[in-house]
Amino acid sequence: MNKPIVSLRAIEPEDLNILYQIENDEELWDVGVTNVPYSRYTLHNYIAQSAGDIYSDRQVRLMIENETREIIGIVDIVNFNPQHLRAEIGIVIQKPWRNKHYATATLDKLVNYAQKVLHLHQLYACIASSNEVSLALFKNCGFQRSAILREWLFDGYQYHDVVLVQKKI
């Protein structure tokens, strides 16, 4: 597999529109913990107030760019626990760039960043058990299934199980 080249960078004020679009994509609400739209004002304040320091914010959000510097998605390191040096990760690749190995390239880069820069011990993700594409992605990037969280996500109609995947780095 030829992985594309990606770069990760901090969020800039100019990213407000793309952040607004991704955060308010209702198709993504069922796979995460958000189920309400965010206003531009709220997202603007988030960008302005974020220190970009995992120890003060307990999270880091990075924009994903491709070889031509187009924003193709967002990757998050959240729920950072400084005592145990672990954090949860989430990734969104926008539709035009899905199934082109950008997610694999991003996860590889993120794991390297988490290990060498943030000095984390472990990363984990919670993935809907029906999301076979994401489960395969994380498995191919060295994450191992460690638990099933029963009826963890609710889509408004029914509950869905989640697979907890982890990687010691």
Side-chain angles (χ1 to χ4, degrees):
M1 161 184 52
N2 274 344
K3 284 188 282 186
I5 296 170
V6 296
S7 58
L8 305 178
R9 65 163 178 79
I11 294 180
E12 299 287 348
E14 297 79 23
D15 298 324
L16 178 60
N17 288 337
I18 194 87
L19 185 61
Y20 181 82
Q21 177 185 353
I22 290 172
E23 289 292 350
N24 290 303
D25 183 347
E26 292 182 30
E27 290 180 20
L28 300 174
W29 290 357
D30 290 343
V31 297
V33 295
T34 300
N35 61 358
V36 296
Y38 284 97
S39 69
R40 287 184 192 279
Y41 177 78
T42 299
L43 294 172
H44 176 272
N45 285 345
Y46 167 78
I47 294 170
Q49 295 172 3
S50 175
D53 176 21
I54 197 166
Y55 283 91
S56 63
D57 295 339
R58 294 290 194 257
Q59 66 178 352
V60 174
R61 174 168 276 179
L62 301 166
M63 304 305 287
I64 309 165
E65 292 182 335
N66 66 9
E67 308 88 345
T68 59
R69 311 218 26 108
E70 294 171 285
I71 298 169
I72 62 165
I74 298 175
V75 66
D76 297 319
I77 300 175
V78 297
N79 297 327
F80 169 62
N81 183 308
Q83 178 183 4
H84 302 294
L85 295 174
R86 68 173 171 247
E88 182 177 359
I89 59 174
I91 182 171
V92 173
I93 302 294
Q94 295 190 90
K95 285 183 184 177
W97 292 280
R98 290 181 188 164
N99 301 311
K100 298 179 181 176
H101 306 293
Y102 282 107
T104 302
T106 299
L107 275 182
D108 287 348
K109 189 161 282 248
L110 184 72
V111 167
N112 186 55
Y113 171 75
Q115 180 183 36
K116 294 195 163 97
V117 177
L118 300 177
H119 307 291
L120 297 183
H121 170 69
Q122 188 176 128
L123 293 171
Y124 67 94
C126 297
I127 304 166
S129 61
S130 61
N131 190 340
E132 295 177 13
V133 172
S134 288
L135 289 169
L137 164 69
F138 279 84
K139 179 182 178 188
N140 291 339
C141 290
F143 285 74
Q144 297 178 343
R145 291 178 183 229
S146 62
I148 300 211
L149 305 173
R150 302 284 179 207
E151 298 184 357
W152 200 255
L153 298 174
F154 183 63
D155 66 8
Y157 302 101
Q158 63 182 345
Y159 287 93
H160 301 274
D161 294 347
V162 160
V163 177
L164 177 68
V165 296
Q166 297 172 273
K167 182 172 182 158
K168 182 180 165 189
I169 55 176

